[in-house]
Amino acid sequence: MYYTGSGAYVVAYLYLVGAIAAEVFGTSLLKATDGFTRLWPTVACLAGYVLSFVLLSQAIKGVQVGVAYAIWSGLGTAAIVTIGAAFLNEPITVVKVVGVSLIVAGVVTLNVGGAAQH
């Protein structure tokens, strides 16, 4: 069932933003879990993933599944690459920049295509 009314899409996208934030939180803790051998980082990481999927499941009530997943995975990937470079001393390479740019372009393309079908 899709939300109805103009404010409903705002709510769906707020759920999606929350899902992205929770997924980025969980993913950013993966290294700290040390292969899921450290209890509290593991608990926090898994809680982030669970919350992300709960929020994503609410978001798809008002956003097409393909569009929501593209936004969730694409923006999450871009955020994790940025966090890796800023806080985990991972290098930013031309290949990474091109890859993230292609992901963002794909998300934009799906959104434009999805919006045209409403």
Side-chain angles (χ1 to χ4, degrees):
M1 178 194 306
Y2 288 97
Y3 293 120
T4 57
S6 61
Y9 286 109
V10 172
V11 171
Y13 278 98
L14 287 174
Y15 278 127
L16 187 55
V17 168
I20 293 165
E23 187 270 333
V24 168
F25 171 78
T27 301
S28 67
L29 288 173
L30 275 175
K31 199 169 195 174
T33 69
D34 197 25
F36 294 120
T37 60
R38 297 181 62 219
L39 178 63
W40 295 115
T42 297
V43 169
C45 174
L46 295 177
Y49 285 137
V50 168
L51 178 60
S52 179
F53 278 104
V54 168
L55 294 172
L56 184 61
S57 73
Q58 294 303 306
I60 63 171
K61 290 179 180 179
V63 179
Q64 294 176 9
V65 174
V67 172
Y69 189 75
I71 294 169
W72 179 78
S73 61
L75 294 182
T77 299
I80 288 299
V81 168
T82 303
I83 288 169
F87 301 108
L88 302 175
N89 299 318
E90 294 179 357
I92 292 281
T93 64
V94 172
V95 172
K96 282 185 183 180
V97 171
V98 169
V100 169
S101 298
L102 289 171
I103 290 168
V104 171
V107 169
V108 169
T109 301
L110 280 172
N111 274 304
V112 169
Q117 304 228 349
H118 277 98

